[in-house]
Amino acid sequence: MKIIPSILTGDREQFQNELLKYNVFFDEIQIDIADGVFVPNKTLGMEVQDIIPENIKISLHLMVNSPWEYITQIKTNNITSCICHVEVSADFADIKNKLVKLGVVFGLAVNPDTNMDSYLETVTNADFIQLMGVNPGFQGQQFIPKTLEKYEALKKTGKPVWLDGGINEKTIDLIRDYDFQTIVVGSYFQSGDLNYKLQLLKERLWIKD
Ligand code: DX5
């Protein structure tokens, strides 16, 4: 199990500050891109690639209606994974092919209210699944425990499962018995002592360095 931070902002200076801060403690960061259509919020777009340092792996979480437009703009080698939402209508087989050519791993995110029965076939295209702990769009929302009801169905696909959203020192105990490959943390890491908070989450998940 691995913990990585996420950055979700429309402000270039904040983006740079968070990158600098996270770069000290993490080798991978998830960057949230919101289009103001699929989610009611808008962030910086693919221009963030110009300010990402070489030494960090980027997981790109596309909270957008037209992922293809963003994927065709990928130009940095440090984008190692790209996550689209199962809820958007897109040709995921095509997207997968494009990402394979770029050497990028393909993830599909599943919202808390999404009924997996409709998407079990769709997720077979993905290399991993990102279960959302909140409705995407904003940091700092409350974890939705009901989303964990999808865990068994997701695990049965045989794909690694990530969890994104709503994780902090209070909610971490709700997920410690689940086998998530990666946990994505946003607002909890934004203020206070980052190293202390990271160690606290790791201890609660029995993660050893
Ligand atoms: C949800 C985003 C999450 C967010 C998590 O809109 O997709 O990645 O960054 O933030 P927290 O941890 O504050 O829920």
Side-chain angles (χ1 to χ4, degrees), residues 6-8 30 32 39 61 63 85 130 132 134-142 164-167 184-188:
S6 66
I7 301 180
L8 186 162
Q30 183 159 115
D32 287 321
V39 293
H61 177 193
M63 301 182 286
H85 270 263
Q130 177 160 297
M132 298 305 298
V134 298
N135 289 312
F138 299 91
Q139 290 195 336
Q141 302 180 82
Q142 272 204 346
D164 174 29
I167 297 305
V184 187
V185 178
S187 54
Y188 180 64

PDB file of all heavy atoms in Angstrom, residues 6-8 30 32 39 61 63 85 130 132 134-142 164-167 184-188, ligand 1:
ATOM      1  N   SER A   6      -2.437  14.590  -3.647  1.00  0.00           N
ATOM      2  CA  SER A   6      -3.025  15.112  -4.889  1.00  0.00           C
ATOM      3  C   SER A   6      -3.008  16.636  -4.864  1.00  0.00           C
ATOM      4  O   SER A   6      -3.058  17.264  -3.808  1.00  0.00           O
ATOM      5  CB  SER A   6      -4.459  14.611  -5.071  1.00  0.00           C
ATOM      6  OG  SER A   6      -5.295  15.145  -4.072  1.00  0.00           O
ATOM      7  N   ILE A   7      -2.927  17.204  -6.052  1.00  0.00           N
ATOM      8  CA  ILE A   7      -2.998  18.663  -6.200  1.00  0.00           C
ATOM      9  C   ILE A   7      -4.195  18.988  -7.082  1.00  0.00           C
ATOM     10  O   ILE A   7      -4.332  18.441  -8.180  1.00  0.00           O
ATOM     11  CB  ILE A   7      -1.708  19.226  -6.849  1.00  0.00           C
ATOM     12  CG1 ILE A   7      -0.483  18.865  -6.001  1.00  0.00           C
ATOM     13  CG2 ILE A   7      -1.818  20.741  -7.017  1.00  0.00           C
ATOM     14  CD1 ILE A   7       0.846  19.385  -6.567  1.00  0.00           C
ATOM     15  N   LEU A   8      -5.047  19.877  -6.576  1.00  0.00           N
ATOM     16  CA  LEU A   8      -6.236  20.286  -7.337  1.00  0.00           C
ATOM     17  C   LEU A   8      -6.346  21.797  -7.190  1.00  0.00           C
ATOM     18  O   LEU A   8      -6.724  22.302  -6.133  1.00  0.00           O
ATOM     19  CB  LEU A   8      -7.474  19.584  -6.766  1.00  0.00           C
ATOM     20  CG  LEU A   8      -8.819  19.730  -7.482  1.00  0.00           C
ATOM     21  CD1 LEU A   8      -9.777  18.628  -7.039  1.00  0.00           C
ATOM     22  CD2 LEU A   8      -9.475  21.074  -7.295  1.00  0.00           C
ATOM     23  N   GLN A  30      -0.502  12.834  -7.546  1.00  0.00           N
ATOM     24  CA  GLN A  30      -1.642  12.813  -8.473  1.00  0.00           C
ATOM     25  C   GLN A  30      -2.082  14.252  -8.755  1.00  0.00           C
ATOM     26  O   GLN A  30      -2.297  15.034  -7.827  1.00  0.00           O
ATOM     27  CB  GLN A  30      -2.816  12.015  -7.893  1.00  0.00           C
ATOM     28  CG  GLN A  30      -3.974  11.931  -8.880  1.00  0.00           C
ATOM     29  CD  GLN A  30      -4.931  10.778  -8.604  1.00  0.00           C
ATOM     30  OE1 GLN A  30      -6.089  10.994  -8.269  1.00  0.00           O
ATOM     31  NE2 GLN A  30      -4.477   9.549  -8.780  1.00  0.00           N
ATOM     32  N   ASP A  32      -4.933  16.567 -10.294  1.00  0.00           N
ATOM     33  CA  ASP A  32      -6.350  16.572 -10.664  1.00  0.00           C
ATOM     34  C   ASP A  32      -6.609  17.647 -11.700  1.00  0.00           C
ATOM     35  O   ASP A  32      -6.292  18.816 -11.486  1.00  0.00           O
ATOM     36  CB  ASP A  32      -7.212  16.870  -9.435  1.00  0.00           C
ATOM     37  CG  ASP A  32      -7.270  15.705  -8.470  1.00  0.00           C
ATOM     38  OD1 ASP A  32      -7.344  14.552  -8.943  1.00  0.00           O
ATOM     39  OD2 ASP A  32      -7.245  15.937  -7.254  1.00  0.00           O
ATOM     40  N   VAL A  39     -17.272  18.042 -13.739  1.00  0.00           N
ATOM     41  CA  VAL A  39     -17.386  18.431 -12.323  1.00  0.00           C
ATOM     42  C   VAL A  39     -17.560  19.956 -12.271  1.00  0.00           C
ATOM     43  O   VAL A  39     -17.074  20.658 -13.155  1.00  0.00           O
ATOM     44  CB  VAL A  39     -16.150  17.998 -11.503  1.00  0.00           C
ATOM     45  CG1 VAL A  39     -16.051  16.496 -11.390  1.00  0.00           C
ATOM     46  CG2 VAL A  39     -14.861  18.570 -12.093  1.00  0.00           C
ATOM     47  N   HIS A  61      -5.292  12.652 -13.037  1.00  0.00           N
ATOM     48  CA  HIS A  61      -6.690  12.274 -12.811  1.00  0.00           C
ATOM     49  C   HIS A  61      -7.572  13.244 -13.593  1.00  0.00           C
ATOM     50  O   HIS A  61      -7.728  14.403 -13.211  1.00  0.00           O
ATOM     51  CB  HIS A  61      -6.990  12.333 -11.307  1.00  0.00           C
ATOM     52  CG  HIS A  61      -8.416  12.037 -10.957  1.00  0.00           C
ATOM     53  ND1 HIS A  61      -8.942  12.295  -9.720  1.00  0.00           N
ATOM     54  CD2 HIS A  61      -9.437  11.486 -11.686  1.00  0.00           C
ATOM     55  CE1 HIS A  61     -10.222  11.930  -9.707  1.00  0.00           C
ATOM     56  NE2 HIS A  61     -10.542  11.440 -10.879  1.00  0.00           N
ATOM     57  N   MET A  63     -10.792  14.624 -14.477  1.00  0.00           N
ATOM     58  CA  MET A  63     -12.208  14.772 -14.108  1.00  0.00           C
ATOM     59  C   MET A  63     -12.848  15.634 -15.194  1.00  0.00           C
ATOM     60  O   MET A  63     -13.213  16.791 -14.984  1.00  0.00           O
ATOM     61  CB  MET A  63     -12.304  15.439 -12.732  1.00  0.00           C
ATOM     62  CG  MET A  63     -11.601  14.631 -11.658  1.00  0.00           C
ATOM     63  SD  MET A  63     -11.758  15.355 -10.029  1.00  0.00           S
ATOM     64  CE  MET A  63     -10.643  16.712 -10.179  1.00  0.00           C
ATOM     65  N   HIS A  85     -12.704   8.820 -16.088  1.00  0.00           N
ATOM     66  CA  HIS A  85     -13.885   8.379 -15.338  1.00  0.00           C
ATOM     67  C   HIS A  85     -14.744   7.431 -16.161  1.00  0.00           C
ATOM     68  O   HIS A  85     -15.049   7.724 -17.321  1.00  0.00           O
ATOM     69  CB  HIS A  85     -14.705   9.584 -14.870  1.00  0.00           C
ATOM     70  CG  HIS A  85     -14.262  10.050 -13.524  1.00  0.00           C
ATOM     71  ND1 HIS A  85     -14.883   9.681 -12.367  1.00  0.00           N
ATOM     72  CD2 HIS A  85     -13.198  10.807 -13.163  1.00  0.00           C
ATOM     73  CE1 HIS A  85     -14.244  10.206 -11.344  1.00  0.00           C
ATOM     74  NE2 HIS A  85     -13.211  10.898 -11.800  1.00  0.00           N
ATOM     75  N   GLN A 130      -9.639   3.327  -9.817  1.00  0.00           N
ATOM     76  CA  GLN A 130      -9.553   4.280  -8.705  1.00  0.00           C
ATOM     77  C   GLN A 130     -10.961   4.502  -8.148  1.00  0.00           C
ATOM     78  O   GLN A 130     -11.808   5.121  -8.796  1.00  0.00           O
ATOM     79  CB  GLN A 130      -8.945   5.607  -9.174  1.00  0.00           C
ATOM     80  CG  GLN A 130      -8.893   6.655  -8.063  1.00  0.00           C
ATOM     81  CD  GLN A 130      -7.903   7.767  -8.342  1.00  0.00           C
ATOM     82  OE1 GLN A 130      -6.708   7.535  -8.435  1.00  0.00           O
ATOM     83  NE2 GLN A 130      -8.381   8.987  -8.473  1.00  0.00           N
ATOM     84  N   MET A 132     -13.531   6.307  -5.911  1.00  0.00           N
ATOM     85  CA  MET A 132     -13.617   7.641  -5.329  1.00  0.00           C
ATOM     86  C   MET A 132     -14.275   7.571  -3.945  1.00  0.00           C
ATOM     87  O   MET A 132     -15.333   6.964  -3.771  1.00  0.00           O
ATOM     88  CB  MET A 132     -14.422   8.579  -6.230  1.00  0.00           C
ATOM     89  CG  MET A 132     -13.820   8.817  -7.614  1.00  0.00           C
ATOM     90  SD  MET A 132     -12.117   9.415  -7.597  1.00  0.00           S
ATOM     91  CE  MET A 132     -12.322  10.988  -6.744  1.00  0.00           C
ATOM     92  N   VAL A 134     -15.102  10.381  -2.481  1.00  0.00           N
ATOM     93  CA  VAL A 134     -15.962  11.583  -2.495  1.00  0.00           C
ATOM     94  C   VAL A 134     -16.441  11.781  -3.931  1.00  0.00           C
ATOM     95  O   VAL A 134     -15.882  11.189  -4.855  1.00  0.00           O
ATOM     96  CB  VAL A 134     -15.185  12.852  -2.050  1.00  0.00           C
ATOM     97  CG1 VAL A 134     -14.687  12.732  -0.620  1.00  0.00           C
ATOM     98  CG2 VAL A 134     -14.022  13.165  -3.001  1.00  0.00           C
ATOM     99  N   ASN A 135     -17.433  12.629  -4.091  1.00  0.00           N
ATOM    100  CA  ASN A 135     -17.810  13.008  -5.457  1.00  0.00           C
ATOM    101  C   ASN A 135     -16.734  13.954  -5.972  1.00  0.00           C
ATOM    102  O   ASN A 135     -16.396  14.931  -5.295  1.00  0.00           O
ATOM    103  CB  ASN A 135     -19.185  13.673  -5.479  1.00  0.00           C
ATOM    104  CG  ASN A 135     -20.277  12.662  -5.203  1.00  0.00           C
ATOM    105  OD1 ASN A 135     -20.303  11.591  -5.806  1.00  0.00           O
ATOM    106  ND2 ASN A 135     -21.149  12.963  -4.268  1.00  0.00           N
ATOM    107  N   PRO A 136     -16.171  13.675  -7.144  1.00  0.00           N
ATOM    108  CA  PRO A 136     -14.995  14.433  -7.578  1.00  0.00           C
ATOM    109  C   PRO A 136     -15.300  15.906  -7.855  1.00  0.00           C
ATOM    110  O   PRO A 136     -16.434  16.281  -8.100  1.00  0.00           O
ATOM    111  CB  PRO A 136     -14.584  13.716  -8.863  1.00  0.00           C
ATOM    112  CG  PRO A 136     -15.806  13.037  -9.343  1.00  0.00           C
ATOM    113  CD  PRO A 136     -16.594  12.679  -8.128  1.00  0.00           C
ATOM    114  N   GLY A 137     -14.252  16.710  -7.798  1.00  0.00           N
ATOM    115  CA  GLY A 137     -14.388  18.125  -8.125  1.00  0.00           C
ATOM    116  C   GLY A 137     -13.709  19.042  -7.136  1.00  0.00           C
ATOM    117  O   GLY A 137     -13.117  20.038  -7.517  1.00  0.00           O
ATOM    118  N   PHE A 138     -13.801  18.680  -5.851  1.00  0.00           N
ATOM    119  CA  PHE A 138     -13.260  19.563  -4.815  1.00  0.00           C
ATOM    120  C   PHE A 138     -12.499  18.752  -3.766  1.00  0.00           C
ATOM    121  O   PHE A 138     -12.875  17.622  -3.470  1.00  0.00           O
ATOM    122  CB  PHE A 138     -14.393  20.321  -4.116  1.00  0.00           C
ATOM    123  CG  PHE A 138     -15.182  21.186  -5.056  1.00  0.00           C
ATOM    124  CD1 PHE A 138     -16.304  20.683  -5.703  1.00  0.00           C
ATOM    125  CD2 PHE A 138     -14.791  22.497  -5.302  1.00  0.00           C
ATOM    126  CE1 PHE A 138     -17.032  21.479  -6.588  1.00  0.00           C
ATOM    127  CE2 PHE A 138     -15.513  23.289  -6.181  1.00  0.00           C
ATOM    128  CZ  PHE A 138     -16.637  22.778  -6.823  1.00  0.00           C
ATOM    129  N   GLN A 139     -11.490  19.382  -3.212  1.00  0.00           N
ATOM    130  CA  GLN A 139     -10.818  18.779  -2.061  1.00  0.00           C
ATOM    131  C   GLN A 139     -11.609  19.128  -0.800  1.00  0.00           C
ATOM    132  O   GLN A 139     -12.436  20.023  -0.804  1.00  0.00           O
ATOM    133  CB  GLN A 139      -9.393  19.303  -1.952  1.00  0.00           C
ATOM    134  CG  GLN A 139      -8.497  18.781  -3.062  1.00  0.00           C
ATOM    135  CD  GLN A 139      -7.020  18.990  -2.767  1.00  0.00           C
ATOM    136  OE1 GLN A 139      -6.647  19.860  -2.000  1.00  0.00           O
ATOM    137  NE2 GLN A 139      -6.183  18.197  -3.401  1.00  0.00           N
ATOM    138  N   GLY A 140     -11.322  18.417   0.272  1.00  0.00           N
ATOM    139  CA  GLY A 140     -11.880  18.773   1.579  1.00  0.00           C
ATOM    140  C   GLY A 140     -13.303  18.310   1.819  1.00  0.00           C
ATOM    141  O   GLY A 140     -13.953  18.773   2.747  1.00  0.00           O
ATOM    142  N   GLN A 141     -13.801  17.381   1.023  1.00  0.00           N
ATOM    143  CA  GLN A 141     -15.157  16.874   1.247  1.00  0.00           C
ATOM    144  C   GLN A 141     -15.105  15.675   2.196  1.00  0.00           C
ATOM    145  O   GLN A 141     -14.065  15.054   2.385  1.00  0.00           O
ATOM    146  CB  GLN A 141     -15.773  16.424  -0.078  1.00  0.00           C
ATOM    147  CG  GLN A 141     -15.838  17.492  -1.139  1.00  0.00           C
ATOM    148  CD  GLN A 141     -16.471  16.938  -2.409  1.00  0.00           C
ATOM    149  OE1 GLN A 141     -17.683  16.854  -2.532  1.00  0.00           O
ATOM    150  NE2 GLN A 141     -15.646  16.536  -3.369  1.00  0.00           N
ATOM    151  N   GLN A 142     -16.284  15.366   2.755  1.00  0.00           N
ATOM    152  CA  GLN A 142     -16.368  14.242   3.691  1.00  0.00           C
ATOM    153  C   GLN A 142     -16.357  12.909   2.959  1.00  0.00           C
ATOM    154  O   GLN A 142     -17.050  12.750   1.945  1.00  0.00           O
ATOM    155  CB  GLN A 142     -17.664  14.341   4.469  1.00  0.00           C
ATOM    156  CG  GLN A 142     -17.502  15.176   5.714  1.00  0.00           C
ATOM    157  CD  GLN A 142     -18.555  14.814   6.748  1.00  0.00           C
ATOM    158  OE1 GLN A 142     -19.532  14.137   6.453  1.00  0.00           O
ATOM    159  NE2 GLN A 142     -18.344  15.280   7.954  1.00  0.00           N
ATOM    160  N   ASP A 164      -9.348   7.342  -3.639  1.00  0.00           N
ATOM    161  CA  ASP A 164      -9.065   8.780  -3.720  1.00  0.00           C
ATOM    162  C   ASP A 164     -10.183   9.604  -3.097  1.00  0.00           C
ATOM    163  O   ASP A 164     -11.332   9.517  -3.523  1.00  0.00           O
ATOM    164  CB  ASP A 164      -8.917   9.183  -5.198  1.00  0.00           C
ATOM    165  CG  ASP A 164      -8.760  10.683  -5.382  1.00  0.00           C
ATOM    166  OD1 ASP A 164      -8.236  11.351  -4.476  1.00  0.00           O
ATOM    167  OD2 ASP A 164      -9.169  11.182  -6.454  1.00  0.00           O
ATOM    168  N   GLY A 165      -9.814  10.403  -2.092  1.00  0.00           N
ATOM    169  CA  GLY A 165     -10.756  11.393  -1.570  1.00  0.00           C
ATOM    170  C   GLY A 165     -11.267  11.102  -0.177  1.00  0.00           C
ATOM    171  O   GLY A 165     -11.626   9.966   0.153  1.00  0.00           O
ATOM    172  N   GLY A 166     -11.244  12.146   0.663  1.00  0.00           N
ATOM    173  CA  GLY A 166     -11.856  12.059   1.986  1.00  0.00           C
ATOM    174  C   GLY A 166     -11.006  11.388   3.050  1.00  0.00           C
ATOM    175  O   GLY A 166     -11.503  11.114   4.152  1.00  0.00           O
ATOM    176  N   ILE A 167      -9.732  11.129   2.735  1.00  0.00           N
ATOM    177  CA  ILE A 167      -8.910  10.398   3.706  1.00  0.00           C
ATOM    178  C   ILE A 167      -8.138  11.367   4.615  1.00  0.00           C
ATOM    179  O   ILE A 167      -7.470  12.286   4.156  1.00  0.00           O
ATOM    180  CB  ILE A 167      -7.935   9.439   2.980  1.00  0.00           C
ATOM    181  CG1 ILE A 167      -8.728   8.386   2.200  1.00  0.00           C
ATOM    182  CG2 ILE A 167      -6.991   8.766   3.979  1.00  0.00           C
ATOM    183  CD1 ILE A 167      -9.726   7.584   2.999  1.00  0.00           C
ATOM    184  N   VAL A 184      -4.919   8.094  -2.235  1.00  0.00           N
ATOM    185  CA  VAL A 184      -4.645   9.470  -2.675  1.00  0.00           C
ATOM    186  C   VAL A 184      -5.234  10.447  -1.652  1.00  0.00           C
ATOM    187  O   VAL A 184      -6.405  10.358  -1.308  1.00  0.00           O
ATOM    188  CB  VAL A 184      -5.256   9.733  -4.072  1.00  0.00           C
ATOM    189  CG1 VAL A 184      -4.829  11.100  -4.585  1.00  0.00           C
ATOM    190  CG2 VAL A 184      -4.850   8.637  -5.061  1.00  0.00           C
ATOM    191  N   VAL A 185      -4.375  11.349  -1.184  1.00  0.00           N
ATOM    192  CA  VAL A 185      -4.775  12.270  -0.105  1.00  0.00           C
ATOM    193  C   VAL A 185      -4.594  13.713  -0.565  1.00  0.00           C
ATOM    194  O   VAL A 185      -3.521  14.092  -1.037  1.00  0.00           O
ATOM    195  CB  VAL A 185      -3.915  12.011   1.158  1.00  0.00           C
ATOM    196  CG1 VAL A 185      -4.288  12.990   2.272  1.00  0.00           C
ATOM    197  CG2 VAL A 185      -4.063  10.566   1.627  1.00  0.00           C
ATOM    198  N   GLY A 186      -5.651  14.519  -0.421  1.00  0.00           N
ATOM    199  CA  GLY A 186      -5.580  15.925  -0.840  1.00  0.00           C
ATOM    200  C   GLY A 186      -5.484  16.879   0.331  1.00  0.00           C
ATOM    201  O   GLY A 186      -4.416  17.176   0.850  1.00  0.00           O
ATOM    202  N   SER A 187      -6.639  17.362   0.794  1.00  0.00           N
ATOM    203  CA  SER A 187      -6.671  18.466   1.770  1.00  0.00           C
ATOM    204  C   SER A 187      -5.973  18.150   3.089  1.00  0.00           C
ATOM    205  O   SER A 187      -5.425  19.046   3.727  1.00  0.00           O
ATOM    206  CB  SER A 187      -8.127  18.855   2.058  1.00  0.00           C
ATOM    207  OG  SER A 187      -8.859  17.726   2.451  1.00  0.00           O
ATOM    208  N   TYR A 188      -5.978  16.885   3.511  1.00  0.00           N
ATOM    209  CA  TYR A 188      -5.355  16.553   4.805  1.00  0.00           C
ATOM    210  C   TYR A 188      -3.874  16.932   4.824  1.00  0.00           C
ATOM    211  O   TYR A 188      -3.326  17.301   5.857  1.00  0.00           O
ATOM    212  CB  TYR A 188      -5.541  15.058   5.077  1.00  0.00           C
ATOM    213  CG  TYR A 188      -4.935  14.595   6.387  1.00  0.00           C
ATOM    214  CD1 TYR A 188      -5.412  15.075   7.604  1.00  0.00           C
ATOM    215  CD2 TYR A 188      -3.885  13.664   6.402  1.00  0.00           C
ATOM    216  CE1 TYR A 188      -4.847  14.658   8.802  1.00  0.00           C
ATOM    217  CE2 TYR A 188      -3.329  13.240   7.596  1.00  0.00           C
ATOM    218  CZ  TYR A 188      -3.815  13.742   8.792  1.00  0.00           C
ATOM    219  OH  TYR A 188      -3.251  13.333   9.983  1.00  0.00           O
TER     220      TYR A 188
HETATM  221  C1  DX5 B   1     -11.756  14.929  -5.545  1.00  0.00           C
HETATM  222  C2  DX5 B   1     -10.368  14.811  -6.060  1.00  0.00           C
HETATM  223  C3  DX5 B   1      -9.444  14.245  -5.086  1.00  0.00           C
HETATM  224  C4  DX5 B   1      -9.052  15.219  -4.088  1.00  0.00           C
HETATM  225  C5  DX5 B   1      -8.902  14.534  -2.772  1.00  0.00           C
HETATM  226  O1  DX5 B   1     -12.375  15.937  -6.191  1.00  0.00           O
HETATM  227  O2  DX5 B   1     -10.382  13.983  -7.132  1.00  0.00           O
HETATM  228  O3  DX5 B   1      -8.285  13.827  -5.708  1.00  0.00           O
HETATM  229  O4  DX5 B   1      -7.851  15.789  -4.476  1.00  0.00           O
HETATM  230  O5  DX5 B   1      -8.922  15.525  -1.847  1.00  0.00           O
HETATM  231  P1  DX5 B   1      -9.372  15.230  -0.386  1.00  0.00           P
HETATM  232  O6  DX5 B   1      -8.368  14.264   0.181  1.00  0.00           O
HETATM  233  O7  DX5 B   1      -9.350  16.558   0.271  1.00  0.00           O
HETATM  234  O8  DX5 B   1     -10.728  14.628  -0.455  1.00  0.00           O
END
